[in-house]
Amino acid sequence: MTATSARITALDTYDVRFPTSRELDGSDAMNPDPDYSAAYVVLRTDAADGPEGHGFTFTIGRGNDVQVAAIDALRHHVVGRSVAELCDDPGSLSRDLIGDSQLRWLGPEKGVMHMAIGAVVNAVWDLAAKSAGQPLWRLLAHAEPEWLVSQVDFRYLTDALTPEEALALLRNGRAGLADREVTLLERGYPGYTTSPGWLGYPDDKLTRLAEQAVDDGFTQIKLKVGADLGDDIRRLRTARAAVGDGIRIAIDANQRWGVAEAIQWVTALAEFRPYWIEEPTSPDDILGHAAVRRAVGPVKVATGEHVQNRVVFKQLLQADALDVLQIDAARVGGVNENLAILLLAAKFGVPVCPHAGGVGLCELVQHLSMFDYLALSGTTEDRAIEYVDHLHQHFDVPVVVRGGHYTAPLDPGFSATMREESIAAYHFPDGTFWAADRARQESDT
Amino acid sequence: MTATSARITALDTYDVRFPTSRELDGSDAMNPDPDYSAAYVVLRTDAADGPEGHGFTFTIGRGNDVQVAAIDALRHHVVGRSVAELCDDPGSLSRDLIGDSQLRWLGPEKGVMHMAIGAVVNAVWDLAAKSAGQPLWRLLAHAEPEWLVSQVDFRYLTDALTPEEALALLRNGRAGLADREVTLLERGYPGYTTSPGWLGYPDDKLTRLAEQAVDDGFTQIKLKVGADLGDDIRRLRTARAAVGDGIRIAIDANQRWGVAEAIQWVTALAEFRPYWIEEPTSPDDILGHAAVRRAVGPVKVATGEHVQNRVVFKQLLQADALDVLQIDAARVGGVNENLAILLLAAKFGVPVCPHAGGVGLCELVQHLSMFDYLALSGTTEDRAIEYVDHLHQHFDVPVVVRGGHYTAPLDPGFSATMREESIAAYHFPDGTFWAADRARQESDT
C-alpha cells in the first residue's frame, strides 16, 4: 500500500524510437515509413517500495521530441501532488491539465498537447491500478458506477449523453459481471490481426501471413488499401483466396481519399466483401464519413484512431457516420476521456473495436475493451481489438494472444511499463542502439 | 531582387512572451490570465542584402516552448531550399510540411504541429512578398487566378469546392479590382474593437472604452461573456447604454458552454440585441454550432479562431452552422490554407470577419481580408477585422487604424517582422525584461 503522505517527486520523460521503417512493418497509404516511437513518461514517488506510474504517447518517429516537450510542459501540474489523492480521483488531474487556461490555446483538446495530457493521465491510472494491486480492467470493472461517472468530463457532451444517462448505463452494465469475468479469464477477448496486410508486403507474404492468421484462430484480418486500385483489387482477391469466405477482411485507407473517391474505391472493391472500410477520409470529416457510410453499405464504416477527442466522436455518432468506433488508448486525453467515448458508444449502440499496434497500444487498450465487456456493453459481439505482433517484447507485461483472443492480464497496472533495457537501447538519439547505428553509418561513409 | 541561386541558410526560432496577464488585458471566460506570446521564426538566406522571412504562432503563455520545439522540428524541410523556388511556389513547402509522413501522426493538420507549419509557411509568404517588393495583400490580389488555385490543397475539400469552382470564383472576383484598390487605399478596411469588453474590466472602464470606440469611428464593439449571467446582463446593458442603438455589439463566450446552455444564455441576453454570439461552444462541435444557430436567430453565430483546419470550416459551412466565418492568420497551416478557407466562404456566401488581437494577429490578417475584398468576395459589407490596441509597438510595421478602419499597409511583406529590441527584451526566459523581472522577484523574497 502507498503511504497516504506519499507525493509525486518527479515526472521523467524519454524519447524512445524503434527503427521499424527498415522492415516496412506498419506501411500504409499515408505512412510509408514509420519508426514506431513512444514519448514515454514515468511518475516517481517518495513512497518506499511504492509503484511508479508509466504512460506514453505513441508516435511514428519524427516529432517524438515535440511530444516529449509537451509532456514536460505538464510537469508543474503533477510534481508535488498527493499520490493517494491522484489515485482516488485521476479525474482531478485530468481536469487540471485540460483546463490549464494557457496550455489549452495549443489545442484545445487536440493534437500534441492533448496526447501529452493523455500520456500523463494514463500514467496516473497505471499508478492507481498498481497501488490497488489490480490490473486496470478489473479496477474499472469493479468501480462504483457513481465514481466512474465522476471521472468523466461531460462538457460539450450533454446534448448527446447526460451524467444521469451514463450512470444508468453503468448500473445496467454490471448485471452479469461475475459470469462475464469468468468467461473473460477462460477465453480472453477477441482480437483481429493487421499483420498480413501492410502495404509494403509482397503477395506471397500476404498469403502466408493471412493463412497463418486463420491457423492462429483469428476470424478477422485487415488489409491496408488506398495507394493503387489495381494493386488493391489483386491484394484483396489474394487475401480472400487465402482465408476463404468465413473470415472477415477489413480494409483501411488511412485517410487517403476525399469523399467521392472513397465511395468509388470501396465500390470497386465490394465484390471481395470487405467487412469495414477504415478511415476512408479525413478523421475530422464527420459529414464526409456520414456520406461515405450512406453510399457504401453493407460495407461498414470505421474510424477513430486519429479522432482527436470525445466531441468529434459525439458528432460521428450523432451524424450516423459510424458502424464501428475505434478508440485509441493514447490519442485522446487518457482513460477519463476514453470512458466518455465508451459511454457514448454504448448510448448509441455502436460496437467498439479499438485501434492498436504501434508500440504498446495493444498493451494499453485491452484494459478498456475488457472493462467495456465486463461492466458496460456486456458483450463481445462484433467487437475485436486490433492485434499486431510487433515490439511487445519491450514491455514488462506484454500482451498474450492465444487462439485469436487477448488473454486478460493479471499483473497490477495498465501494462504500460517498458523494459528498462529497451529504454536504454532505443532512447533517441543517445541510446545504445542509436549510438551504434550512427557509428555504423559513419564508418560506412 | 533575390539572386536566383540564393538558399535558405537558417531557420531561427525565438520564444517571445509579453506579461499581459498583469493588466487583465485579454481576459475572457476561458482565458483568465493570458500572457500574449509568439513562437517566432526567422528564415535567413545567403542573398546579399536580401530580405528575411518572418512568421510566428500566437500563444497565450505556457506551452510557447512546445510550439517553438514544433517549429524547430520542421527545420530540415526548409534549410537549403532555393529562395526563388519557395517564393514562386510557397505551396510546395506547404505540401511537404503537411505531408511529412511521420509528423502528420501528431495531428494530422491540427494543434501544435499544424500551427508550427502555419508559422513557417507564413514566413515564406513574408519572404515572397518582400522579395516581390509588395505588401502581401497586393501580391495576392494581383496574382493570376490559376496560380492562386495552385496554392490551395483541395484534399478533403472537393465535395464542397472543386478547383474549377475556385478558379471561377477568383476570375469573377477580379472584376472591378482597380476601383476597389483605390477605395481601399483611401478608406481602409473596416475594423471592430474588442478593447472595451474584456471580462476583467470594471463597468466604468467598459463604459469609457465603449464610448471611446464610437468616438474613434468603430461601428461594432465586442464583449466577452459566459462567466456569470447576471454580470453579462449588467455589462451588456451598460455597453448598450454607452454606444446607443446604431452600433453593433458582438458577444463572445470563448467556448464556455454546452449546446443547451449556449441557447439559454444567448436567449437571456437577446433583449440587448447582440449582433453575433462568438464561440458559443467547442470549436470542434460542428453539429452543436448548427443547433445553436437554429435556436438563437436573429442573433448570428460566429466562430473560427480555434477552428483547426479547412476540413472543419468546410463542414461548418455545409451544416449551415455559421453566419460569420472568423479566419485566424496563425491557427491553420498558413496563407495557403487560409486561401482555401476564404474560397470556401465565398462559395457559400458567408462573410469573413477575422479574429485578431493577441500579438501580431492584426498585422497579419489584414492582408488576407484586403485580398478577399480586392479579388475574391469584392465587398466589405458585413465584414470587419477584429482590432485590439495591444502590443503593436513591437512590430516594424504596426497596423494603423483610423476612423475605425485598417489602413492598407504599403511596406513589402506580411507585416510580421517583430522589432529586434522587443525580441531582445521579451525573449523567454532570458530576455532583458524577464531577467530583470526575475531579479526583482528574488529581491522581494
Side-chain angles (χ1 to χ4, degrees), chain B residues 14-289:
Chain B
Y14 304 89
D15 180 347
V16 182
R17 307 191 193 191
F18 298 96
T20 46
S21 62
R22 299 176 192 188
E23 299 292 332
L24 290 183
D25 297 338
S27 56
D28 64 48
M30 294 294 267
N31 310 298
D33 58 349
D35 281 325
Y36 286 168
S37 301
Y40 196 82
V41 56
V42 182
L43 304 180
R44 305 192 195 280
T45 84
D46 55 9
D49 303 324
E52 298 167 341
H54 292 240
F56 55 89
T57 306
F58 170 61
T59 83
I60 60 172
R62 283 186 295 280
N64 203 48
D65 49 333
V66 180
Q67 195 59 52
V68 168
I71 297 173
D72 286 335
L74 301 172
R75 183 173 285 116
H76 67 285
H77 282 288
V78 183
V79 172
R81 284 177 91 128
S82 155
V83 172
E85 287 176 20
L86 280 182
C87 293
D88 286 348
D89 183 11
S92 64
L93 180 68
S94 173
R95 284 189 295 275
D96 289 348
L97 297 178
I98 289 172
D100 183 306
S101 67
Q102 295 187 351
L103 290 176
R104 78 183 297 283
W105 190 268
L106 301 178
E109 300 191 58
K110 58 181 65 74
V112 167
M113 210 63 236
H114 199 49
M115 293 194 289
I117 289 171
V120 174
V121 167
N122 281 347
V124 169
W125 282 96
D126 181 59
L127 180 61
K130 286 174 177 165
S131 298
Q134 298 283 350
L136 182 65
W137 62 264
R138 185 179 277 153
L139 181 150
L140 292 171
H142 290 273
E144 289 300 321
E146 291 77 4
W147 183 80
L148 288 170
V149 169
S150 80
Q151 293 302 303
V152 171
D153 180 358
F154 285 91
R155 176 170 277 193
Y156 307 136
L157 291 190
T158 51
D159 54 326
L161 176 74
T162 65
E164 296 72 27
E165 291 171 321
L167 186 61
L169 287 166
L170 289 161
R171 283 183 175 155
N172 293 337
R174 293 181 75 139
L177 189 161
D179 288 346
R180 285 194 297 279
E181 188 162 349
V182 172
T183 305
L184 176 69
L185 290 168
E186 283 178 2
R187 191 197 64 182
Y189 193 101
Y192 75 88
T193 176
T194 308
S195 291
W198 299 110
L199 215 50
Y201 287 175
D203 288 0
D204 57 340
K205 186 169 182 178
L206 164 57
T207 295
R208 178 168 52 79
L209 292 173
E211 291 171 351
Q212 183 67 52
V214 177
D215 288 347
D216 289 344
F218 291 103
T219 57
Q220 178 177 328
I221 66 170
K222 189 163 80 185
L223 261 62
K224 300 292 184 174
V225 297
D228 179 275
L229 180 57
D231 286 346
D232 286 348
I233 290 173
R234 196 192 67 251
R235 293 172 64 253
L236 209 48
R237 179 179 289 125
T238 301
R240 182 55 77 197
V243 301
D245 284 343
I247 300 293
R248 289 174 174 173
I249 304 178
I251 57 174
D252 182 356
N254 290 88
Q255 314 165 25
R256 181 63 179 251
W257 304 315
V259 171
E261 193 183 10
I263 293 169
Q264 289 161 11
W265 204 295
V266 175
T267 303
L269 298 176
E271 64 173 300
F272 306 107
R273 294 182 301 107
Y275 181 60
W276 75 50
I277 174 64
E278 179 172 333
E279 291 203 304
T281 189
S282 164
D284 307 336
D285 199 344
I286 296 148
L287 302 179
H289 277 83

